Amino acid sequence: MVTNRYVYCLIAINALISIIIYVPRILLQHRFDGAWTSILLSVVISYLLIRWFTTMLASFTRQGFPEMMKQYLPNWVNVSVQLLMIGLWFFAGAITLLSFVDITLRYISPDVPAFLVMIGYLIVVCWACTLNPASILFGLEILLVLNCPIVAFFIIRAITSPMFDWDAVLQTFTFSLQWPSFQAVAAATFLFTGYINLVVFNRVFEKFHMRGYLLISLSGLLLLLLTMIVPIGMHGSMGVSTYVYPWFSLADSIRIDMFLVERLVFVFTWFTFPFF
């Protein structure tokens, strides 16, 4: 049975994917230009959006976004909006998939042609599209249970590393009163947007009722702060801007003594890729 806890799985999966791809890079670009205030503003905005969106969906039991529009909107409006949604979801998925291919070529299989890597992932994506939505939610929950401890270990290992420089972090905090940047607010808000997947997955909830808004906001705030603090502490307040994927470069700079795999980048890569 699909219960309300799977909503939190959707939000958590999206949040963990966000710290791997573009969100850290955008926020770190604004580390001296309002990133900290943008994070605080994004938490408030996301809290209001999640509360409004989930409250609205609670009135439509076992209905997805297409069913809702077909029921209440004229046919031409329904078709137009759905085409717009298809385009937005396609480009969002394409950006994530291309990033996945790029990361694979950089850190896992640099000798494999990019075309073959893309074809392999497209096969997996097309297969996943045929699955029952409830099965996908069950799989997401298993991924979270298995992988979150590994991600937590990675973050703790980075913060406790002797290479971590708190002075670099404090240096960026001196710019915390800068006016928020629209680009940074948009990037930080994206971390919370896993709830939007309910436009499809609301079909499998027997009786949807959302709680824990404050917990979601505080957890997202903590994750956003770690998204900024950990790379800055490891790469420096100036050097962090030179990396395309700050978190993967960070993992590549950490060594694990007396572990099965000496370089933490292999652990981080193989245990975070399932989130895609």
Side-chain angles (χ1 to χ4, degrees):
M1 179 180 177
V2 178
T3 59
N4 293 326
R5 73 175 185 272
Y6 290 99
V7 180
Y8 307 107
C9 293
L10 292 173
I11 297 175
I13 287 289
N14 186 83
L16 291 172
I17 291 176
S18 299
I19 70 169
I20 296 171
I21 312 179
Y22 294 119
V23 171
R25 185 179 179 184
I26 296 174
L27 290 177
L28 291 170
Q29 287 176 347
H30 295 275
R31 62 197 181 282
F32 300 126
D33 188 26
W36 301 109
T37 50
S38 298
I39 288 175
L40 295 176
L41 181 60
S42 71
V43 172
V44 176
I45 294 174
S46 299
Y47 173 86
L48 297 174
L49 288 176
I50 293 174
R51 197 174 189 97
W52 168 76
F53 190 82
T54 54
T55 302
M56 177 191 68
L57 282 183
S59 303
F60 300 93
T61 304
R62 300 186 68 88
Q63 292 187 50
F65 191 65
E67 291 85 358
M68 291 184 241
M69 292 195 303
K70 184 177 181 180
Q71 184 176 357
Y72 293 102
L73 295 178
N75 186 55
W76 67 273
V77 177
N78 179 21
V79 174
S80 301
V81 174
Q82 290 204 46
L83 288 176
L84 176 62
M85 293 288 290
I86 290 171
L88 292 175
W89 281 99
F90 175 81
F91 283 110
I95 291 172
T96 302
L97 188 60
L98 290 174
S99 301
F100 195 10
V101 172
D102 186 35
I103 292 171
T104 302
L105 295 174
R106 286 174 183 262
Y107 296 99
I108 298 180
S109 303
D111 298 328
V112 178
F115 177 77
L116 292 180
V117 177
M118 175 64 77
I119 292 298
Y121 290 139
L122 284 176
I123 292 174
V124 175
V125 170
C126 293
W127 169 76
C129 292
T130 63
L131 296 177
N132 186 284
S135 300
I136 296 176
L137 290 178
F138 299 150
L140 292 182
E141 184 180 31
I142 294 173
L143 286 177
L144 282 174
V145 172
L146 293 178
N147 293 324
C148 281
I150 304 299
V151 176
F153 167 77
F154 166 75
I155 294 175
I156 294 173
R157 184 67 181 84
I159 293 177
T160 58
S161 171
M163 299 172 57
F164 195 89
D165 186 6
W166 283 103
D167 290 335
V169 178
L170 295 176
Q171 181 186 3
T172 60
F173 269 122
T174 60
F175 296 86
S176 58
L177 296 180
Q178 296 290 326
W179 191 255
S181 166
F182 176 79
Q183 188 178 19
V185 172
T189 305
F190 180 77
L191 182 137
F192 295 90
T193 53
Y195 65 90
I196 296 179
N197 293 308
L198 287 170
V199 299
V200 174
F201 290 102
N202 189 54
R203 298 166 176 166
V204 299
F205 287 92
E206 294 291 340
K207 188 176 181 182
F208 176 72
H209 181 66
M210 185 73 172
R211 295 180 180 178
Y213 297 103
L214 184 60
L215 178 62
I216 293 173
S217 301
L218 294 178
S219 300
L221 175 61
L222 177 61
L223 192 57
L224 285 170
L225 293 177
L226 290 173
T227 300
M228 291 279 293
I229 290 174
V230 177
I232 291 174
M234 291 297 294
H235 298 311
S237 59
M238 300 302 296
V240 72
S241 62
T242 61
Y243 297 96
V244 178
Y245 301 104
W247 279 77
F248 280 93
S249 300
L250 187 156
D252 201 20
S253 65
I254 298 178
R255 182 171 176 262
I256 310 177
D257 296 325
M258 301 180 65
F259 197 66
L260 295 176
V261 181
E262 185 179 11
R263 295 176 63 195
L264 189 59
V265 66
F266 295 111
V267 179
F268 181 74
T269 301
W270 286 110
F271 281 95
T272 53
F273 269 10
F275 290 135
F276 286 93

